[in-house]
Amino acid sequence: MSDNSIIRTEKLSKCFKGKIHALREVDTEIHRGEVVVVIGPSGSGKSTYLRSLNLLEEPTGGRIFFEDTDITDPKVDINRVRQKMGMVFQHFNLFPHYTILKNMTLGPIKLLKSPKAEAEEKAYALLERVGLRDRANAYPSQLSGGQKQRIAIVRALCMNPDVMLFDEPTSALDPEMVGEVLDVMKGLARDGMTMIIVTHEMGFAREVADTVFFMDEGTIMETGTPEEIFSAPKNPRTQSFLRKIL
Amino acid sequence: MHKKKLITAGIAVLIIALIIGGLAVALRSSTTASEMTAEEAESFVNSRLDAIAATQTTQYIAEKNRITVEEISYGDEKDILLDCTVQTLDLHGAVAPYYDTFLSADERKETGMYKSKLHFKMEFEPLLMELAETAAEKEVSCRISLFDTHEGLVLYASDEVVNAVFGGLIDIKNEILPRTSAVLTKADGTEEIREFESDNIKLGFLDCLQVPQNAKPDTATALVRFWNDLKQDFHRNFIEANRWLTIVKGLWTTIRLTVFALLLGIVIGFLVAFVRATYLKQSKHGFLLRLVNSICQVYLTVIRGTPVVVQIMIIYFVIFMPLGIDKFLAAVVCFGLNSGAYVAEIVRGGIMSIDNGQTEAGRSLGFNYMQTMFYIVLPQAFKTVLPALANEFVVLLKETSIAFYIGLGDLMYSINAIRAATYTAFMPLIASAIIYLVMVLILQHLVTLLERRLRSSER
C-alpha cells in the first residue's frame, strides 16, 4: 500500500437478497488526486461498487479503507466519514423545499458548524465558479437539468470533501446539457480532486481519467490507463464491450 | 378568487338554512294538521269529563303539541286537598314526560295545609285568568281549564287564533250559571258571542281544541305566524335566561378540546409514523425497534378498529372516572389518541412517498438518519400530507361533539340542554349545525392559506 492511497477495498462483496451477486470480492486502490472512471455494461455492478464506497450500500463482505480507517467497522462513525466523501447522483437529488443557497449551506452549517456568513460566502464562490451565482435564491424546480447537476456538484463541494463520487452524473440529462456538467468535472480534475466516476461518456473518460476500471459481472475485469483500455484492451469482455459502444 | 370562495360558502350556508327552514315549516303545518282529529278530541274530552264528574278537579292546558293535565284530588271531607298530579300528554299518543305527586294527605295534615273549597277556587281562578290572558296576549296556544268544584264546572279557554277568553260556571247537573258567554274571534276576523248551554259546553271545549284544524288561515297570515313563531323560538332559545351564554361556554369548551386533542394527535401521529416508516424502510431491525413497532401496530389496530363513542366511554367511565380525573382531560386524551392513529397513517404515507434519493442525498452529505428525517424528509412529507391532515382535523372538530356522551359541557351539550329546557328542536339544532359549519369553513380557509405559502417554495 502506497502512502498516498486514499480508498482501498479488500474482497469487497455485495449480495442482494436472494442470490444476485452484485460485487464479487473486488480489490481496488485509489490514490490521492487520482481520477478513476468506472465503465462497463449495465448490471455489471458499477453503481453498487461506487455506492458501497460511502456505505450507501452496505457491503455483505470484505473491507473498505478510507484514509487508513476501516469504515466497515461498526465502531466507525460513518456520518463523519461521509462528510469527507462528496456524492453526485444521476437524478441530482436536490432538496426541492430549500433554495439553492440553503441546499448548499445546510450541510456546512448543521454538520461542520460553520458560521452562516462563512458558509454562504463559500457557497457564493462555488456558484460563481459554475456560473450560477444569480440563481442562489431560486428553488431547484426553477433550474434546468444541467444547472441542477452543477448545483449538486457544488453542494457536495461545500463540505470540503477529500473524494468525490459521481454516479452516472450525465445519464439523466438532455444531450445539450451534458457538456456544461462535464466541463465542471474537468475543472475539478484539473484542480487535483480525487474523483471516482461511473459514466457512459467514453470521450470524457479518455480525456480526464488517470485510470479506467472496466467492470462486468460484479468484478473488475481490467484496469489501466485510458490508452491501454480504449486502444488496446486485453480482456475479451472489454474488447466486446468497447466494440459495441464505440 | 378568495372573496368568491367566501361568497360561495356564504350562499351555501344560506341555501342550507333556507332548505332546513322550509322543511321545518312543512313539517310544522303537517304536525298542526295531525294534532288531533275531531273524533279523537271528542272521545278524549268525554273520557276526561267522565272522570272529572266523580272526584277530581282537572285542568287542561292544551298547547301546540301537548296537553297538560293537572288533577287535584280531595279528601273525604271534600275541602281537604289531598293530592295534586301534573301529567303532560303528548298529543301524538305516547309519552307522559312529567309526572309529579305533591305532598301526601298525612303530610298536609301535619303542616296544616288544607284548603277549603272556597279558598281553592279563589286561589285558582285569578291564576287561570291570568294564564289565559297571557296566552292570548302572547298569541301562543290554546289553554282550556276545566274545574270540577263539585258544585259545578268552571271552564276557561284561550287561543292564539281565536283570541278569545271565555269562561263559565256550570253546576254538576249541567245547569249553566250566569258567567257563560264568550267572545270568539275567528281566524277570518269575524267575532261571535257564544252562549254556553248545558249541551254545548262540550262543543265550546271542542271548538278550542280544534281551532288549528278548522281555521285555515291564508298564506299571509300563515307567514306572519311562522315569522312570529320563529322570533319567539329565537327569543326563547337564545335570549331568554341568557341561553346564548350557555352556547358560548360550550363553544369555548369545544374549541379548547379540539385544539388540545389536535396537538396531542399530531405529536402521537408523528411519533408513530416515524417508528412505522423507519421499520418499513429498513431491512434489518433491532429488538427495540421491533418492540416499539409492535406496540404502534396494536395501537393503530385497536383505535382504528373500534368506534370513537366506545373509546371515549371506556376512557372516561372505565379508566379516568375511577381515578377521579376530570371529563375534559379524558376527552382530550381520547380524541388525541384517536386522531393520532389517523394522523400516523397519513404521515407515514407522506414519509414513504418521498423519493429515496432525498434520503440518500442527505445521508451522503453526512447527516444521520434523524437529521435527514428532520431537515429533508419530514418538511417535504408534511407538505404532501397537508390536505389529508386538514381533512382529519375537520373530522376531529366535528367528532368532539361525541364528548356529549360523557356529559362534558361542550357545544353539543349546551345545545341539548337548551333543547330540553325549551322543548324545541328546530332553533338549537340548526344553530349548532351552523356553528360547526362556520368553524369548519374557517379551518379550511386557514389550511388553504398555509398550503399556498408552502407551495410558493416550489414555484
Side-chain angles (χ1 to χ4, degrees):
Chain A
M1 184 183 89
S2 60
D3 276 346
N4 63 351
S5 159
I6 186 162
I7 293 176
R8 194 157 50 84
T9 61
E10 275 178 12
K11 296 195 176 102
L12 179 63
S13 300
K14 172 75 182 183
C15 184
F16 285 109
K17 259 181 203 157
K19 46 203 174 295
I20 308 144
H21 270 277
L23 292 177
R24 298 166 196 265
E25 307 201 337
V26 176
D27 294 315
T28 50
E29 184 169 8
I30 291 148
H31 304 283
R32 229 171 260 282
E34 191 176 7
V35 176
V36 175
V37 172
V38 185
I39 60 171
S42 56
S44 60
K46 312 185 293 285
S47 278
T48 310
Y49 166 72
L50 190 81
R51 288 159 58 82
S52 297
L53 295 181
N54 66 355
L55 298 199
L56 275 189
E57 298 288 357
E58 279 196 45
T60 44
R63 298 201 288 175
I64 302 166
F65 292 91
F66 176 69
E67 296 176 340
D68 295 332
T69 317
D70 178 4
I71 62 172
T72 52
D73 183 346
K75 276 179 260 161
V76 171
D77 179 3
I78 187 62
N79 297 314
R80 290 206 83 88
V81 175
R82 283 180 182 146
Q83 291 174 15
K84 300 266 112 199
M85 304 168 95
M87 186 152 191
V88 175
F89 300 87
Q90 181 178 355
H91 295 288
F92 332 127
N93 297 346
L94 295 181
F95 307 134
H97 56 305
Y98 291 139
T99 61
I100 299 309
L101 193 64
K102 188 88 191 282
N103 260 281
M104 294 174 67
T105 56
L106 187 69
I109 291 174
K110 302 290 178 199
L111 296 170
L112 305 179
K113 308 291 174 204
S114 307
K116 191 170 176 232
E118 196 179 293
E120 286 185 355
E121 196 183 328
K122 184 174 169 67
Y124 275 118
L126 283 164
L127 282 172
E128 185 83 60
R129 190 168 145 185
V130 297
L132 289 171
R133 194 191 162 99
D134 54 326
R135 310 313 306 270
N137 291 309
Y139 282 90
S141 59
Q142 299 167 300
L143 303 182
S144 71
Q147 290 174 327
K148 280 185 202 166
Q149 195 60 299
R150 281 184 279 159
I151 296 298
I153 294 171
V154 286
R155 178 177 70 180
L157 289 176
C158 277
M159 294 293 289
N160 290 325
D162 293 342
V163 178
M164 286 285 284
L165 310 176
F166 293 85
D167 189 3
E168 305 201 18
T170 56
S171 298
L173 294 178
D174 289 340
E176 77 267 25
M177 292 174 181
V178 171
E180 61 192 60
V181 173
L182 293 182
D183 285 342
V184 172
M185 290 166 67
K186 283 175 199 163
L188 268 183
R190 267 197 303 277
D191 292 349
M193 173 63 75
T194 311
M195 296 161 76
I196 304 165
I197 306 159
V198 170
T199 187
H200 295 289
E201 299 288 334
M202 295 305 155
F204 172 77
R206 198 188 281 246
E207 183 186 337
V208 177
D210 297 316
T211 312
V212 176
F213 291 172
F214 173 73
M215 281 190 81
D216 199 7
E217 293 180 353
T219 57
I220 298 198
M221 295 272 182
E222 192 168 353
T223 309
T225 63
E227 274 78 61
E228 288 168 351
I229 298 284
F230 289 112
S231 309
K234 296 188 196 82
N235 191 304
R237 300 296 287 267
T238 319
Q239 291 164 359
S240 98
F241 172 71
L242 288 173
R243 242 199 328 277
K244 267 184 230 154
I245 61 160
L246 287 180
Chain B
M1 187 174 135
H2 224 63
K3 264 187 192 156
K4 239 188 218 167
K5 242 187 189 171
L6 281 180
I7 291 168
T8 319
I11 290 172
V13 173
L14 257 176
I15 289 174
I16 292 168
L18 278 178
I19 290 173
I20 295 170
L23 223 66
V25 177
L27 284 176
R28 242 159 214 266
S29 43
S30 69
T31 308
T32 309
S34 67
E35 257 175 20
M36 201 184 241
T37 65
E39 297 86 58
E40 277 170 353
E42 186 166 11
S43 73
F44 178 75
V45 169
N46 276 332
S47 71
R48 299 318 296 181
L49 284 178
D50 290 348
I52 290 160
T55 55
Q56 289 175 331
T57 293
T58 306
Q59 180 189 3
Y60 300 84
I61 302 172
E63 288 174 289
K64 270 183 205 123
N65 47 5
R66 54 179 175 162
I67 290 181
T68 305
V69 185
E70 293 179 8
E71 296 181 341
I72 298 120
S73 321
Y74 294 92
D76 283 343
E77 289 123 10
K78 305 275 187 203
D79 54 0
I80 296 172
L81 185 63
L82 268 188
D83 234 357
C84 176
T85 63
V86 179
Q87 195 173 8
T88 303
L89 301 173
D90 189 323
L91 272 194
H92 302 299
V95 204
Y98 180 49
Y99 192 93
D100 193 22
T101 305
F102 287 359
L103 296 172
S104 71
D106 285 348
E107 282 170 323
R108 270 171 222 288
K109 274 175 189 161
E110 271 173 33
T111 52
M113 275 185 66
Y114 71 95
K115 288 197 166 56
S116 72
K117 205 162 34 183
L118 191 64
H119 246 114
F120 176 70
K121 219 188 115 195
M122 278 171 66
E123 275 185 16
F124 273 78
E125 202 168 357
L127 183 74
L128 278 169
M129 287 301 286
E130 199 187 327
L131 210 63
E133 270 165 16
T134 321
E137 185 186 52
K138 284 193 171 178
E139 302 185 345
V140 274
S141 50
C142 171
R143 287 164 188 275
I144 301 157
S145 310
L146 186 66
F147 289 91
D148 172 10
T149 63
H150 286 256
E151 293 225 326
L153 294 169
V154 186
L155 172 79
Y156 290 105
S158 73
D159 178 81
E160 54 177 311
V161 176
V162 178
N163 275 332
V165 176
F166 60 96
L169 183 65
I170 47 177
D171 71 5
I172 201 154
K173 292 161 198 152
N174 288 339
E175 283 173 28
I176 305 158
L177 296 180
R179 286 187 287 143
T180 53
S181 65
V183 182
L184 238 74
T185 313
K186 295 236 160 177
D188 56 11
T190 56
E191 281 188 3
E192 181 187 332
I193 298 178
R194 192 176 288 187
E195 297 291 332
F196 289 104
E197 294 178 17
S198 54
D199 281 343
N200 64 14
I201 184 72
K202 281 186 201 170
L203 292 177
F205 206 137
L206 289 175
D207 257 357
C208 286
L209 267 182
Q210 288 175 29
V211 162
Q213 228 176 340
N214 296 341
K216 279 178 189 147
D218 54 276
T219 317
T221 318
L223 276 176
V224 169
R225 272 174 73 187
F226 173 63
W227 179 243
N228 285 342
D229 275 3
L230 269 188
K231 275 201 302 201
Q232 197 198 327
D233 264 13
F234 187 85
H235 192 271
R236 265 175 83 193
N237 282 301
F238 304 127
I239 315 289
E240 220 175 85
N242 271 342
R243 295 210 164 95
W244 62 275
L245 266 177
T246 323
I247 296 183
V248 170
K249 257 170 75 181
L251 179 62
W252 177 231
T253 305
T254 290
I255 291 174
R256 264 168 47 229
L257 172 60
T258 307
V259 168
F260 285 125
L262 194 133
L263 292 178
L264 186 63
I266 290 178
V267 171
I268 295 175
F270 269 81
L271 286 178
V272 172
F274 186 72
V275 171
R276 296 275 299 131
T278 306
Y279 181 86
L280 290 169
K281 268 186 174 179
Q282 291 178 359
S283 45
K284 285 182 294 185
H285 311 113
F287 172 73
L288 188 67
L289 182 59
R290 271 215 307 268
L291 178 73
V292 176
N293 179 64
S294 310
I295 294 172
C296 288
Q297 209 140 19
V298 169
Y299 159 73
L300 291 177
T301 311
V302 171
I303 295 291
R304 298 199 302 164
T306 53
V308 66
V309 181
V310 175
Q311 289 165 19
I312 195 167
M313 290 179 83
I314 288 177
I315 286 179
Y316 181 61
F317 292 117
V318 179
I319 303 169
F320 277 48
M321 200 164 75
L323 294 173
I325 300 170
D326 79 338
K327 291 171 180 172
F328 184 74
L329 197 60
V332 167
V333 168
C334 171
F335 290 114
L337 281 175
N338 187 273
S339 165
Y342 292 94
V343 169
E345 287 301 273
I346 292 170
V347 174
R348 183 180 64 81
I351 291 175
M352 300 194 69
S353 78
I354 302 302
D355 179 25
N356 210 28
Q358 291 291 314
T359 313
E360 285 186 351
R363 298 305 303 271
S364 79
L365 282 172
F367 288 108
N368 61 31
Y369 181 78
M370 296 291 261
Q371 287 168 325
T372 308
M373 269 287 163
F374 189 74
Y375 293 122
I376 294 154
V377 177
L378 283 181
Q380 294 182 57
F382 182 67
K383 209 184 314 184
T384 318
V385 301
L386 199 61
L389 273 186
N391 199 38
E392 171 56 29
F393 296 156
V394 167
V395 171
L396 174 66
L397 173 69
K398 291 183 291 181
E399 234 169 37
T400 55
S401 57
I402 286 172
F404 162 65
Y405 272 81
I406 58 166
L408 178 69
D410 75 332
L411 177 59
M412 211 50 223
Y413 183 89
S414 311
I415 293 293
N416 236 42
I418 291 175
R419 207 161 64 87
T422 60
Y423 214 78
T424 53
F426 176 75
M427 277 284 167
L429 289 178
I430 296 300
S432 70
I434 289 175
I435 293 171
Y436 276 114
L437 185 60
V438 166
M439 284 198 290
V440 167
L441 287 177
I442 292 173
L443 195 58
Q444 275 170 346
H445 179 71
L446 290 179
V447 171
T448 314
L449 286 184
L450 183 61
E451 248 181 288
R452 195 169 306 153
R453 246 200 73 159
L454 287 174
R455 217 184 304 131
S456 73
S457 70
E458 264 176 62
R459 239 183 276 133

